[in-house]
Amino acid sequence: MVYDYRLGFENNRSDWYKLKTAKENNNKFKALIFPDSQSNDYTEWESLAMNAWQNNQDSDFFINMGDLVDNGYDLVQWNGWFDGVEPMVNNIPVAPVQGNHETYTTDWQVAMPNVYLEMFKLPTNGNDKYQNQYYSFDYGDVHFTVINTQDDEMAEFEPDLLNEQLKWLENDLATTDKKWKVVLMHRDILNYGRDAKPLGDEISFSRHGEIYMPIFDKYDVDAVLTAHLHTYRRRALIRDFAQNEQGTLYILTGVAGNVRYPSLWHKNPLDEYVPPQPETNNYLVLEADENSLTFNCYLPDSTQIDTVTLTK
């Protein structure tokens, strides 16, 4: 369906815009996926987002995988983020994921991500205390679950966040009747060696990987998208912390802003595809139909660098 809408405050009114919503009884759709858009200048973010939108105007919604801005309390940066996606966000919904940079104040202290929490009206999760921090939604025959991985930064303010979210997560994944389950989370599930701390051939899982991956196995999650490390990596299918053809697809989605860590991370043994180094920014396109989910990864000029399809 398509709605006409405009925004108003006191006696001021915006122009009219059209907004697409979920297609009824249609399991075929397309979504744009943007990694961290964190930037000190949002010109590159705007260029990437608008090029992706121009080439995919049949997209039904878009996702931003966390660290939307570099500093969560800097309203100038939020203006830069929204200005960069204005033609797109005026026409299709956005599904945001909270990142750690949303918790930083202008003097770089950790705080509640109050600005982020006020920016978006997200689906309810049954707990008013944690509204807009984690949520889920259905599109076509896909159930999307959005996790808040900032429980460590926010422990001082919300010490029960992790336990409450874990209970919600199990119920959320257990009760969906959709064919596909896709999880969106900012922090990644693997540890990576770097020049100052090499891991060699060791397979090492992050704290969040150790916490969440057994739950993803239990409920047969099909795909998990992560961010945070500003590099694109497609992994082998993983189950029980090892490569397994019956496992979950994990994709570390890359970087969409101008804050980059070129050639920083060593290859992890579970990485099946790593882009040529040093990396530029990138975006992904998810295409869903009755029997498959396809994730395509593109450079800013829309050159395709990776693709993977799940079938069921």
Side-chain angles (χ1 to χ4, degrees):
M1 297 181 66
V2 178
Y3 290 92
D4 292 318
Y5 78 97
R6 64 178 178 176
L7 305 178
F9 177 72
E10 294 183 344
N11 294 323
N12 301 309
R13 297 291 184 272
S14 73
D15 295 333
W16 286 96
Y17 301 100
K18 294 186 181 298
L19 181 69
K20 293 168 60 177
T21 61
K23 302 171 184 174
E24 296 181 3
N25 302 318
N26 188 339
N27 295 328
K28 184 177 181 179
F29 68 87
K30 178 187 284 189
L32 285 166
I33 302 167
F34 297 103
D36 304 48
S37 49
Q38 170 192 358
S39 299
N40 48 45
D41 178 342
Y42 286 83
T43 303
E44 287 190 43
W45 159 242
E46 179 176 0
S47 176
L48 176 78
M50 288 302 92
N51 184 64
W53 170 240
Q54 288 298 320
N55 286 288
N56 297 277
Q57 292 202 21
D58 55 341
S59 296
D60 296 278
F61 63 97
F62 73 98
I63 295 165
N64 204 155
M65 290 296 303
D67 286 359
L68 281 70
V69 294
D70 189 42
N71 188 291
Y73 275 63
D74 188 337
L75 296 181
V76 173
Q77 293 192 23
W78 281 108
N79 286 337
W81 187 88
F82 277 106
D83 288 346
V85 295
E86 182 178 3
M88 181 166 58
V89 80
N90 284 339
N91 286 277
I92 59 174
V94 56
V97 181
Q98 183 184 319
N100 54 299
H101 278 259
E102 275 71 69
T103 68
Y104 296 149
T105 64
T106 53
D107 58 355
W108 297 102
Q109 300 301 306
V110 175
M112 282 290 294
N114 291 330
V115 178
Y116 169 88
L117 296 176
E118 292 295 326
M119 287 288 181
F120 304 99
K121 180 69 173 178
L122 303 176
T124 59
N125 58 27
N127 190 328
D128 291 342
K129 182 177 181 181
Y130 302 114
Q131 180 57 31
N132 289 359
Q133 297 200 37
Y134 53 85
Y135 63 100
S136 63
F137 64 96
D138 296 328
Y139 209 105
D141 210 12
V142 182
H143 181 71
F144 292 90
T145 301
V146 184
I147 296 175
N148 178 359
T149 56
Q150 276 44 257
D151 53 279
D152 46 0
E153 284 94 350
M154 298 171 62
E156 176 184 350
F157 313 102
E158 293 185 339
D160 297 326
L161 171 62
L162 179 59
N163 288 335
E164 291 297 319
Q165 182 172 234
L166 288 173
K167 289 188 291 185
W168 170 85
L169 174 63
E170 292 227 26
N171 180 70
D172 180 75
L173 294 175
T175 56
T176 181
D177 61 356
K178 295 300 181 180
K179 182 176 183 176
W180 301 94
K181 298 175 185 176
V182 175
V183 171
L184 312 174
M185 55 190 286
H186 180 65
R187 290 190 181 274
D188 191 43
I189 50 93
L190 291 179
N191 288 323
Y192 278 88
R194 53 202 298 180
D195 290 340
K197 188 180 179 182
L199 290 175
D201 293 330
E202 177 185 351
I203 298 176
S204 176
F205 294 89
S206 70
R207 169 177 169 268
H208 289 95
E210 292 173 350
I211 290 171
Y212 288 109
M213 292 174 74
I215 299 175
F216 302 155
D217 291 348
K218 179 179 179 181
Y219 295 103
D220 296 318
V221 170
D222 298 288
V224 176
L225 306 183
T226 64
H228 187 60
L229 298 183
H230 296 207
T231 182
Y232 179 86
R233 310 287 170 107
R234 174 171 52 82
R235 284 68 180 266
L237 301 182
I238 304 171
R239 191 176 186 90
D240 295 326
F241 297 105
Q243 183 172 348
N244 186 319
E245 290 303 311
Q246 304 305 312
T248 299
L249 172 67
Y250 289 87
I251 297 178
L252 176 57
T253 54
V255 58
N258 70 353
V259 177
R260 301 177 192 152
Y261 309 132
S263 304
L264 177 63
W265 311 109
H266 294 292
K267 190 175 186 293
N268 187 289
L270 288 171
D271 291 338
E272 286 205 334
Y273 176 80
V274 180
Q277 302 294 306
E279 291 179 62
T280 181
N281 45 14
N282 65 278
Y283 67 93
L284 291 84
V285 178
L286 165 61
E287 296 186 73
D289 61 27
E290 289 287 346
N291 301 309
S292 67
L293 296 182
T294 298
F295 298 88
N296 297 307
C297 183
Y298 297 93
L299 296 177
D301 65 0
S302 294
T303 299
Q304 184 173 324
I305 60 171
D306 191 34
T307 184
V308 60
T309 297
L310 301 177
T311 57
K312 187 187 295 186

